[in-house]
Amino acid sequence: ELKVEQNPLFLSMQEGKNYTIYCNYSTTSDRLYWYRQDPGKSLESLFVLLSNGAVKQEGRLMASLDTKARLSTLHITAAVHDLSATYFCAVVPNTGNQFYFGTGTSLTVIP
Amino acid sequence: EAEVAQSPRYKITEKSQAVAFWCDPISGHATLYWYRQILGQGPELLVQFQDESVVDDSQLPKDRFSAERLKGVDSTLKIQPAELGDSAMYLCASSSDLNYGYTFGSGTRLTVV
C-alpha cells in the first residue's frame, strides 16, 4: 500500500520563526506537489517538483525534493500569520498518474 | 484565470436520499478527478476520467456512488442512498498535464443528517 506521511501533523509557531514540514512517501516517484488549504476552502497549488534535487521558492516558502530518500520538505522562513493553513503534499507514482495525498500539516502562526 | 466550477457549494440531505454534484473542468483539460475529503484528512480519489472514459474507479463505492462524464466535458457524481458517513467535502479537479499538477474546484460540502 502506498503511503504518504507528513510530519508534524500539527504545528504551532511564533511569527518570525523558521520551521520545516516533512513529507515521506513509499513509492518511486519523481513528481511531488505541495498544496495549501484554508479552513472550509479548496486546495491551492503551491509548488510542483518534477526531479531529484528540485528546489522552488515563493515568498517565505521553499520546497525541495530528494527522490532517492523519497522525501520532500517545505521550509517556512520568518513565519507570518497569513501562512496559517493546512499544507498537503501529494505524490504521483512513476507507474501511474493519480495523486496520493499526505495526511496534511495544520500550521498555526501565533503573533 | 481559468477555474474548475463545482456546484452546489453546500448540500444538506437526509440519509437514504439521493444527492448529485456537478463539475465543469477547465476547458481543454482531458483528465478529470473526483476526490472525497473527510474533515481532518487528505483527499482520497474516488474516480478518474480521461475524456469520457473511466480510468480508475477502484475506490468508488459502486453500490451507492456513480459518476459520469458523458461528453468528456462536465461530470456528475451521484450518491444514492446517502449515508451519514458520506458527510465530507467532495472535490473535483482537472489536469491537462501532470507537469502542472491539478487545479481543484471550490468543492461541495455535503452534510448527511
Side-chain angles (χ1 to χ4, degrees), chain A residues 4 6 9 37 43 86-90 99-105, chain B residues 35-45 88-89 91 104:
Chain A
V4 183
Q6 291 181 233
L9 297 182
Q37 187 176 38
L43 285 86
T86 299
Y87 293 85
F88 290 96
C89 64
F99 275 34
Y100 290 86
F101 282 86
T103 46
T105 296
Chain B
Y35 278 82
R36 177 170 61 184
Q37 185 179 24
I38 294 170
L39 191 64
Q41 299 181 18
E44 294 183 327
L45 182 70
M89 174 81 89
L91 294 161
F104 282 89

Side-chain angles (χ1 to χ4, degrees), chain A residues 33 35 37 42 97-99, chain B residues 35 37 48 56 98 102 105:
Chain A
Y33 308 79
Y35 284 84
Q37 187 176 38
S42 189
N97 60 1
Q98 173 194 144
F99 275 34
Chain B
Y35 278 82
Q37 185 179 24
Q48 176 184 346
D56 185 349
L98 283 180
Y102 291 1

Side-chain angles (χ1 to χ4, degrees), chain A residues 4-80:
Chain A
V4 183
E5 296 180 335
Q6 291 181 233
N7 71 82
L9 297 182
F10 298 94
L11 175 57
S12 180
M13 57 189 299
Q14 286 188 315
E15 278 190 335
K17 298 294 186 181
N18 304 334
Y19 208 84
T20 300
I21 298 170
Y22 297 88
C23 172
N24 291 89
Y25 53 95
S26 64
T27 188
T28 302
S29 173
D30 297 320
R31 293 177 287 184
L32 192 290
Y33 308 79
W34 284 96
Y35 284 84
R36 167 182 172 145
Q37 187 176 38
D38 292 300
K41 305 292 187 181
S42 189
L43 285 86
E44 172 190 355
S45 178
L46 293 176
F47 299 108
V48 177
L49 304 169
L50 299 175
S51 62
N52 185 42
V55 177
K56 295 222 176 147
Q57 183 166 4
E58 180 73 32
R60 301 175 187 273
L61 301 177
M62 183 173 70
S64 66
L65 177 61
D66 181 343
T67 59
K68 291 179 170 48
R70 298 182 178 179
L71 171 69
S72 180
T73 62
L74 180 66
H75 186 73
I76 303 157
T77 301
V80 293

